[in-house]
Amino acid sequence: FTIFYTPEPHSGALLFPLHIAAGRLAGALGLPLIPAYHLLRLVCACILMASVLAFLSHLSTQPSVRQVAFLLITLGGGTGWLSLLLGRGRVLGSIPLEFWLPEAYIFQAILSFPHLALAEASLFGACLIGVKALETSSIRKALIAGGLALVMSTLVPIYFPVLALLWLTGLI
């Protein structure tokens, strides 16, 4: 990506690598771009849900707890729907978070952008494998967790401080 509206010379930056790779793959396979994009959304959503399940399996051995947590995580959101149901567009003077920040809830990430779903899957994977690396003192697992963190921060850079804070505080 380059900015055409500046007189200063500059080198390009890699933005949205997942979309670029998916577009090139769709072109090479002769797939129309819109169905290919929705296929990418579906694949990334499945990867995200599988990573959530793997993460929950590490946290709880009880299937009923995992099922309820999975439903809450994947289908949950804020209470913005309630404000719409009551005929109000704003809550406490502002638009509810889930209407303008799809990164805030997994359901919106699945419905909106594939790079968000894949970045969140990488976040869950980095947390899970990072914990397992600490439990087993495995360098290999630590490197995999670091690789997932790199994928996550390449797709959505604002997720990296969240992961770093979790790792530094020992919450995972």
Side-chain angles (χ1 to χ4, degrees):
F1 177 78
T2 57
I3 301 173
F4 297 109
Y5 307 106
T6 181
E8 291 95 17
H10 61 282
S11 59
L14 179 64
L15 295 178
F16 298 109
L18 179 66
H19 294 85
I20 293 170
R24 296 213 180 226
L25 181 63
L29 296 175
L31 297 173
L33 289 179
I34 293 174
Y37 180 78
H38 291 297
L39 180 63
L40 177 65
R41 281 183 48 227
L42 180 64
V43 168
C44 291
C46 290
I47 293 170
L48 173 56
M49 290 187 282
S51 69
V52 167
L53 273 175
F55 187 78
L56 292 173
S57 294
H58 184 75
L59 294 179
S60 175
T61 58
Q62 299 175 351
S64 60
V65 171
R66 287 195 309 256
Q67 290 168 354
V68 169
F70 180 76
L71 287 175
L72 288 173
I73 289 171
T74 56
L75 299 178
T79 57
W81 61 272
L82 189 58
S83 67
L84 288 179
L85 192 63
L86 296 174
R88 300 173 190 216
R90 297 180 177 270
V91 175
L92 301 174
S94 64
I95 298 171
L97 184 66
E98 67 266 25
F99 293 153
W100 59 273
L101 190 66
E103 298 98 334
Y105 300 98
I106 286 180
F107 185 69
Q108 282 88 347
I110 288 172
L111 289 179
S112 58
F113 306 112
H115 72 282
L116 294 180
L118 192 58
E120 289 179 8
S122 300
L123 175 63
F124 277 104
C127 289
L128 176 62
I129 296 172
V131 166
K132 289 183 178 185
L134 290 173
E135 291 173 350
T136 61
S137 299
S138 170
I139 298 294
R140 181 177 165 272
K141 287 181 183 175
L143 290 173
I144 292 171
L148 286 170
L150 181 63
V151 167
M152 175 201 67
S153 59
T154 301
L155 294 170
V156 182
I158 62 169
Y159 286 177
F160 188 76
V162 173
L163 181 61
L165 188 64
L166 287 172
W167 278 346
L168 291 174
T169 58
L171 292 177
I172 57 167

